Amino acid sequence: NLIKFEEEHSHATSHRLYPIDFEIINSDAPIVFIDDEITTGKTTLNIIEAIHEKYPRKNYTIISILDWRTEKDKLLFDEMENKLNIKINTVSLLSGNIDIEKEDLGNLEIESEIRKIDTEEINIRYLYLDSIFKESISFYSIDSQNNVNTIPYMKLTGRFGIDSVQNKMLNEQLENAGKLLEKHREGKKTLCMGTGEFMYIPMVLSTYLGDGVSYQSTTRSPIHPYDKSNYGAKNAFKFNSQDDNAISNYFYNIPYNFYDDMFLFLERKVSENNMKSLVDTLKTLGIRDINIVIFKGRN
């Protein structure tokens, strides 16, 4: 019953869909997709085609904040409707077209801002949340260098499906975790950082840490840093992903010595060697107390 589809432009191109209620999906009920942005719409068409092959129905709807499809992209939707004999509805708050006036941006190789501090004064603490987030899925992962991580995944991330009852349970657990982690805060300005696709749960948890908390996540997306007024990325930090050291990851906009402490959130424990690049980069931020929070740390 697994549904597979491709997202060609994504950093992780191959995706899996794990329906948790087959009675709903194995019906003629309309399916609604909710997204922040539609660029070409090709990914959604891939999902629709994959679902329709196993669980056909007549109506699909896509709701987004932004819709940047060109007329050519919209024709692909018409072709899919005719091919599958279905109706695809699209709803967005804002739609338009993007024109690139200048493509030559020069050398955009991103390197971390160079900073030197006394690393001996940095306190790094590892905190484990297994006692709060007990539910797990015992799947393992293999990175591009064939390294295996057997630490289980969290059950309630939504990656493997989540219903409203489980979502309520998750929010209660996040509130409890927030109260626990708040006791480890060392100052008034705290940085919370998710890692890669593990961002929503850390974001919600961060709201329970009290006042003076800022949140961001690491990303695989490279952004050229430029320290100029009204530009979005003032500085950049590059490191090897803790999940796969062969992949470069980034985070942005952290002024030196600005935060009193920080919490870095990982869904699963990874090897010390895999963590080295990220930890070394965090040590350059001028943050004296760094908490590395691991949700699933045991097999």
Side-chain angles (χ1 to χ4, degrees), residues 241-259:
S241 168
Q242 74 284 345
D243 293 319
D244 190 334
N245 271 189
I247 299 174
S248 295
N249 277 196
Y250 310 87
F251 54 85
Y252 303 91
N253 284 337
I254 300 182
Y256 177 71
N257 204 27
F258 181 80
Y259 293 102

Side-chain angles (χ1 to χ4, degrees), residues 214-270:
S214 298
Y215 179 84
Q216 64 170 274
S217 181
T218 66
T219 176
R220 194 172 169 179
S221 299
I223 304 174
H224 184 63
Y226 188 31
D227 191 4
K228 183 179 180 180
S229 177
N230 298 323
Y231 185 77
K234 298 293 191 299
N235 56 38
F237 300 88
K238 180 179 179 181
F239 63 94
N240 300 328
S241 168
Q242 74 284 345
D243 293 319
D244 190 334
N245 271 189
I247 299 174
S248 295
N249 277 196
Y250 310 87
F251 54 85
Y252 303 91
N253 284 337
I254 300 182
Y256 177 71
N257 204 27
F258 181 80
Y259 293 102
D260 300 314
D261 58 358
M262 78 170 291
F263 293 86
L264 176 81
F265 297 100
L266 303 177
E267 179 180 0
R268 301 188 298 161
K269 182 180 180 180
V270 297

Side-chain angles (χ1 to χ4, degrees), residues 126 128 149 151 242-244 266 268-275 294 296:
Y126 283 82
Y128 294 89
N149 186 348
I151 300 295
Q242 74 284 345
D243 293 319
D244 190 334
L266 303 177
R268 301 188 298 161
K269 182 180 180 180
V270 297
S271 69
E272 184 177 345
N273 182 64
N274 272 33
M275 282 294 296
I294 299 173
K296 304 301 294 185

Side-chain angles (χ1 to χ4, degrees), residues 199-211:
M199 63 177 77
Y200 171 73
I201 284 178
M203 186 187 302
V204 176
L205 193 157
S206 300
T207 66
Y208 295 116
L209 290 180
D211 297 329

Side-chain angles (χ1 to χ4, degrees), residues 79-252:
E79 292 175 5
M80 186 65 73
E81 285 182 321
N82 294 329
K83 176 182 177 181
L84 301 180
N85 190 26
I86 60 174
K87 176 63 178 176
I88 304 176
N89 307 293
T90 58
V91 181
S92 65
L93 292 180
L94 180 66
S95 62
N97 298 112
I98 298 175
D99 294 321
I100 300 176
E101 297 180 358
K102 185 177 180 181
E103 295 188 20
D104 183 13
L105 299 178
N107 181 15
L108 295 184
E109 176 64 25
I110 297 175
E111 297 295 342
S112 294
E113 183 175 306
I114 299 175
R115 298 170 173 178
K116 292 183 178 180
I117 63 172
D118 185 359
T119 57
E120 292 183 359
E121 297 183 11
I122 298 175
N123 300 313
I124 296 180
R125 180 191 297 117
Y126 283 82
L127 304 173
Y128 294 89
L129 299 179
D130 296 80
S131 61
I132 295 177
F133 301 93
K134 298 178 181 179
E135 300 85 1
S136 61
I137 297 289
S138 297
F139 291 157
Y140 64 88
S141 62
I142 304 176
D143 66 18
S144 64
Q145 298 169 308
N146 293 319
N147 297 310
V148 178
N149 186 348
T150 59
I151 300 295
Y153 289 90
M154 291 180 62
K155 183 177 181 179
L156 300 183
T157 58
R159 178 187 290 108
F160 306 101
I162 187 171
D163 59 29
S164 57
V165 175
Q166 292 171 326
N167 191 54
K168 182 180 179 181
M169 182 189 307
L170 171 63
N171 286 325
E172 292 172 350
Q173 292 174 347
L174 290 172
E175 184 174 2
N176 292 334
K179 292 176 181 178
L180 174 65
L181 296 183
E182 187 179 11
K183 299 176 182 178
H184 293 281
R185 290 187 62 183
E186 299 291 343
K188 296 182 177 180
K189 291 188 295 185
T190 297
L191 172 64
C192 288
M193 184 179 290
T195 44
E197 298 298 323
F198 187 59
M199 63 177 77
Y200 171 73
I201 284 178
M203 186 187 302
V204 176
L205 193 157
S206 300
T207 66
Y208 295 116
L209 290 180
D211 297 329
V213 174
S214 298
Y215 179 84
Q216 64 170 274
S217 181
T218 66
T219 176
R220 194 172 169 179
S221 299
I223 304 174
H224 184 63
Y226 188 31
D227 191 4
K228 183 179 180 180
S229 177
N230 298 323
Y231 185 77
K234 298 293 191 299
N235 56 38
F237 300 88
K238 180 179 179 181
F239 63 94
N240 300 328
S241 168
Q242 74 284 345
D243 293 319
D244 190 334
N245 271 189
I247 299 174
S248 295
N249 277 196
Y250 310 87
F251 54 85
Y252 303 91

